Amino acid sequence: QVQLVESGGGLVQAGGSLRLSCAASGSISSINDMGWYRQAPGNQRELVAFITRGSSTNYADSVKGRFTISRDNAKNTASLQMNSLKPEDTAVYYCNANIKRRGEWRYLEVWGQGTLVTVSS
């Protein structure tokens, strides 16, 4: 099985920074796009940042200029550097990736378990 595991969440004061990491593991052939999503209580899960295999990026308007997504294709990892954090950034952050397993033609959409980011005011 292929898995995504997030790490790096925690409690931070407004204006502070956190760096989230996402590591893919398993019998992986290739990974296409990767993204970070977040879900706050009572809200739908929303896309925060997206990165293609070629490292083209897209960001939600609410995080542009503050968050940076990156990836290391050799390590099958992605990161989300979060600066100038605001209380409204508080959410469970999930890593998402489209992953092809060795020996299979299809790509699977895989989600991590989530990591909680809490920004205090």
Side-chain angles (χ1 to χ4, degrees), residues 7 10 15 36-37 47 72 88 100 103 112-113 116 121:
S7 62
W36 286 95
Y37 292 72
L47 177 65
D72 187 331
E88 50 263 45
K100 184 163 76 71
Q113 81 288 348
L116 177 63
S121 60

mmCIF file of all heavy atoms in Angstrom, residues 7 10 15 36-37 47 72 88 100 103 112-113 116 121:
data_model
loop_
_atom_site.group_PDB
_atom_site.id
_atom_site.type_symbol
_atom_site.label_atom_id
_atom_site.label_comp_id
_atom_site.label_asym_id
_atom_site.label_seq_id
_atom_site.Cartn_x
_atom_site.Cartn_y
_atom_site.Cartn_z
ATOM 1 N N SER A 7 3.633 15.693 8.914
ATOM 2 C CA SER A 7 4.239 16.030 10.185
ATOM 3 C C SER A 7 4.507 17.522 10.218
ATOM 4 O O SER A 7 4.499 18.188 9.192
ATOM 5 C CB SER A 7 5.533 15.242 10.417
ATOM 6 O OG SER A 7 6.497 15.541 9.427
ATOM 7 N N GLY A 10 1.361 21.899 14.876
ATOM 8 C CA GLY A 10 1.527 22.266 16.265
ATOM 9 C C GLY A 10 0.841 23.568 16.575
ATOM 10 O O GLY A 10 0.028 24.066 15.801
ATOM 11 N N GLY A 15 1.479 35.322 13.540
ATOM 12 C CA GLY A 15 2.703 35.917 13.047
ATOM 13 C C GLY A 15 3.868 34.956 12.970
ATOM 14 O O GLY A 15 4.891 35.276 12.353
ATOM 15 N N TRP A 36 -1.648 20.452 -0.659
ATOM 16 C CA TRP A 36 -2.009 20.596 0.742
ATOM 17 C C TRP A 36 -3.416 21.155 0.830
ATOM 18 O O TRP A 36 -3.738 22.146 0.166
ATOM 19 C CB TRP A 36 -1.039 21.514 1.478
ATOM 20 C CG TRP A 36 0.296 20.896 1.757
ATOM 21 C CD1 TRP A 36 1.427 21.004 1.020
ATOM 22 C CD2 TRP A 36 0.621 20.069 2.874
ATOM 23 N NE1 TRP A 36 2.450 20.296 1.601
ATOM 24 C CE2 TRP A 36 1.974 19.711 2.742
ATOM 25 C CE3 TRP A 36 -0.099 19.600 3.974
ATOM 26 C CZ2 TRP A 36 2.631 18.901 3.673
ATOM 27 C CZ3 TRP A 36 0.545 18.794 4.890
ATOM 28 C CH2 TRP A 36 1.892 18.454 4.736
ATOM 29 N N TYR A 37 -4.227 20.517 1.629
ATOM 30 C CA TYR A 37 -5.584 20.952 1.903
ATOM 31 C C TYR A 37 -5.715 21.214 3.393
ATOM 32 O O TYR A 37 -4.892 20.770 4.193
ATOM 33 C CB TYR A 37 -6.598 19.883 1.493
ATOM 34 C CG TYR A 37 -6.700 19.640 0.002
ATOM 35 C CD1 TYR A 37 -5.691 18.985 -0.688
ATOM 36 C CD2 TYR A 37 -7.825 20.047 -0.699
ATOM 37 C CE1 TYR A 37 -5.787 18.750 -2.049
ATOM 38 C CE2 TYR A 37 -7.934 19.810 -2.068
ATOM 39 C CZ TYR A 37 -6.915 19.161 -2.730
ATOM 40 O OH TYR A 37 -7.021 18.923 -4.077
ATOM 41 N N LEU A 47 -8.572 23.532 -0.779
ATOM 42 C CA LEU A 47 -7.221 23.472 -1.313
ATOM 43 C C LEU A 47 -6.435 24.685 -0.850
ATOM 44 O O LEU A 47 -6.886 25.820 -1.001
ATOM 45 C CB LEU A 47 -7.260 23.416 -2.836
ATOM 46 C CG LEU A 47 -5.905 23.417 -3.553
ATOM 47 C CD1 LEU A 47 -5.113 22.156 -3.220
ATOM 48 C CD2 LEU A 47 -6.096 23.533 -5.056
ATOM 49 N N ASP A 72 10.274 17.397 -3.290
ATOM 50 C CA ASP A 72 11.532 16.746 -3.621
ATOM 51 C C ASP A 72 11.165 15.422 -4.270
ATOM 52 O O ASP A 72 10.780 14.471 -3.587
ATOM 53 C CB ASP A 72 12.383 16.535 -2.371
ATOM 54 C CG ASP A 72 13.769 16.012 -2.685
ATOM 55 O OD1 ASP A 72 13.946 15.321 -3.701
ATOM 56 O OD2 ASP A 72 14.697 16.295 -1.898
ATOM 57 N N GLU A 88 -7.024 32.414 11.523
ATOM 58 C CA GLU A 88 -7.887 31.766 10.553
ATOM 59 C C GLU A 88 -7.197 30.649 9.773
ATOM 60 O O GLU A 88 -7.848 29.926 9.013
ATOM 61 C CB GLU A 88 -8.487 32.787 9.577
ATOM 62 C CG GLU A 88 -7.466 33.720 8.959
ATOM 63 C CD GLU A 88 -7.386 35.060 9.678
ATOM 64 O OE1 GLU A 88 -7.366 35.057 10.922
ATOM 65 O OE2 GLU A 88 -7.350 36.102 8.992
ATOM 66 N N LYS A 100 1.138 6.564 -8.607
ATOM 67 C CA LYS A 100 1.058 5.327 -9.354
ATOM 68 C C LYS A 100 1.947 4.298 -8.676
ATOM 69 O O LYS A 100 3.133 4.543 -8.430
ATOM 70 C CB LYS A 100 1.480 5.522 -10.813
ATOM 71 C CG LYS A 100 1.315 4.276 -11.668
ATOM 72 C CD LYS A 100 1.344 4.598 -13.157
ATOM 73 C CE LYS A 100 2.759 4.874 -13.622
ATOM 74 N NZ LYS A 100 3.582 3.643 -13.635
ATOM 75 N N GLY A 103 3.976 -1.510 -11.150
ATOM 76 C CA GLY A 103 3.250 -2.602 -11.769
ATOM 77 C C GLY A 103 1.824 -2.287 -12.150
ATOM 78 O O GLY A 103 1.138 -3.158 -12.691
ATOM 79 N N GLY A 112 -3.234 11.859 3.295
ATOM 80 C CA GLY A 112 -2.602 11.629 4.571
ATOM 81 C C GLY A 112 -3.614 11.691 5.698
ATOM 82 O O GLY A 112 -4.798 11.976 5.494
ATOM 83 N N GLN A 113 -3.143 11.430 6.898
ATOM 84 C CA GLN A 113 -4.038 11.393 8.052
ATOM 85 C C GLN A 113 -4.336 12.773 8.621
ATOM 86 O O GLN A 113 -5.269 12.928 9.412
ATOM 87 C CB GLN A 113 -3.428 10.509 9.149
ATOM 88 C CG GLN A 113 -2.369 11.184 10.023
ATOM 89 C CD GLN A 113 -1.051 11.417 9.319
ATOM 90 O OE1 GLN A 113 -0.799 10.900 8.235
ATOM 91 N NE2 GLN A 113 -0.183 12.203 9.953
ATOM 92 N N LEU A 116 -2.587 18.738 12.782
ATOM 93 C CA LEU A 116 -3.310 19.893 13.299
ATOM 94 C C LEU A 116 -2.391 21.092 13.452
ATOM 95 O O LEU A 116 -1.332 21.009 14.073
ATOM 96 C CB LEU A 116 -3.949 19.556 14.640
ATOM 97 C CG LEU A 116 -4.694 20.690 15.353
ATOM 98 C CD1 LEU A 116 -5.876 21.164 14.522
ATOM 99 C CD2 LEU A 116 -5.151 20.240 16.731
ATOM 100 N N SER A 121 -4.196 33.727 18.917
ATOM 101 C CA SER A 121 -4.198 35.175 18.762
ATOM 102 C C SER A 121 -3.637 35.874 19.980
ATOM 103 O O SER A 121 -3.339 37.054 19.947
ATOM 104 C CB SER A 121 -5.608 35.673 18.465
ATOM 105 O OG SER A 121 -6.491 35.326 19.517
#
